[in-house]
Amino acid sequence: MVDEAAVEDAAVEETTAVEETAVEVANHLPAVAGGARQLREALRQGGEAFPVALREADDGLLLSALDEGLPIERATRVVVELVRRAPERGPELADAVCEKVLLARLYLEAPVSSGADDRLRVRNALMLYDGLVRPCAERGGAPELLACVVPALWAARGGAGREVVRRIVDSRQPTGFGERAWKELFSCAAEECREREDAAAAAARRGGRRWWPRRRRPRRGGDGGRIELQPGQLWVSVLLGLISVALVLIVVLAAR
């Protein structure tokens, strides 16, 4: 015979447990949202909470922190953490992270930076490319983005992007650029060579014209057509005037 009192007590306990679980989940949701805000703030401000935020933040928060701009030391630690997680990502998530990094042009651009910052940004960009972009490119991902980003890095001001491209090409590993990106990069470099050749040819033409002697034009004074005599010409004129006066005197004396 079933003990109805025991069944009723078990049902009450189960209902209570379900209600407590529901309350716990409901209370936990705001805490998760608040935790995301706290992680974002810790990534932005640094301090003692930064290492914990670095471990607990997801890829989206880390990429958002780089988007907002971080001091180069903190940015480097975020880059290292993103690359460290690469083996843990599935193909879809890895492709999404690669796409975001390429759209940000490897996070090379900085509004204000020093020479040391530029060197660290180049190193960070190479870490992002080697750890996140190259594996994605080798799987055949992001061909359109690579075809745009690689020439844009080469043509960017400051030289940091060009240094990154040079180091990628100089490495012994496959670049992962793909045929279209290589073609765009070659076209960009060829256009620069053409512009330099045109500038050199124009400078040579200007320099060649300077070898021809210029015709000397007579000076024009402020009084119109007055001729300015040089010192030698002035003495000759005085001498001729004295000779003329002497001849006149001789003629006059002879007439007497």
Side-chain angles (χ1 to χ4, degrees):
M1 182 176 181
V2 178
D3 190 348
E4 295 181 357
V7 171
E8 184 176 355
D9 291 341
V12 170
E13 290 178 359
E14 183 178 356
T15 303
T16 303
V18 170
E19 291 177 351
E20 289 177 352
T21 302
V23 171
E24 183 180 354
V25 171
N27 292 335
H28 182 63
L29 289 176
V32 171
R37 286 194 296 269
Q38 291 176 0
L39 291 176
R40 185 179 291 107
E41 194 66 22
L43 291 172
R44 185 185 301 113
Q45 294 184 357
E48 296 179 356
F50 181 77
V52 177
L54 197 62
R55 290 193 304 269
E56 297 184 359
D58 59 16
D59 293 337
L61 283 177
L62 295 180
L63 291 170
S64 297
L66 290 178
D67 283 334
E68 294 172 1
L70 294 174
I72 189 60
E73 294 81 6
R74 262 185 279 149
T76 299
R77 295 179 66 179
V78 171
V79 168
V80 170
E81 179 64 19
L82 284 169
V83 174
R84 186 192 66 79
R85 298 180 184 182
E88 304 170 3
R89 300 187 186 99
E92 293 184 1
L93 181 56
D95 290 349
V97 173
C98 170
E99 180 178 347
K100 182 65 181 69
V101 169
L102 284 176
L103 288 173
R105 295 188 181 182
L106 306 179
Y107 294 98
L108 272 173
E109 298 179 359
V112 178
S113 61
S114 63
D117 288 356
D118 289 340
R119 288 192 293 272
L120 286 176
R121 290 184 190 282
V122 168
R123 190 181 68 178
N124 290 347
L126 290 170
M127 279 196 292
L128 289 171
Y129 192 89
D130 289 335
L132 305 180
V133 177
R134 195 194 303 271
C136 175
E138 290 176 353
R139 293 195 308 269
E144 302 292 333
L145 278 176
L146 277 172
C148 299
V149 171
V150 172
L153 290 174
W154 182 263
R157 296 180 179 178
R162 185 165 299 193
E163 180 65 19
V164 170
V165 175
R166 284 199 187 103
R167 294 195 185 185
I168 293 173
V169 173
D170 289 343
S171 68
R172 297 182 179 181
Q173 302 179 28
T175 62
F177 287 170
E179 183 179 356
R180 182 177 175 185
W182 273 111
K183 182 178 179 181
E184 294 293 335
L185 178 59
F186 176 80
S187 300
C188 183
E191 181 65 24
E192 287 184 2
C193 291
R194 190 179 302 111
E195 291 176 357
R196 291 179 182 176
E197 290 174 357
D198 293 344
R205 287 194 298 269
R206 290 194 299 268
R209 286 197 296 266
R210 292 175 182 174
W211 288 101
W212 293 97
R214 297 181 179 178
R215 299 177 62 182
R216 300 183 65 180
R217 297 180 179 178
R219 300 180 182 177
R220 292 186 177 179
D223 57 350
R226 186 180 68 181
I227 299 176
E228 296 182 359
L229 297 177
Q230 301 298 324
Q233 296 174 336
L234 182 61
W235 282 109
V236 171
S237 300
V238 172
L239 183 58
L240 291 175
L242 292 175
I243 293 173
S244 300
V245 172
L247 290 175
V248 171
L249 290 175
I250 292 172
V251 172
V252 172
L253 293 175
R256 291 181 179 179

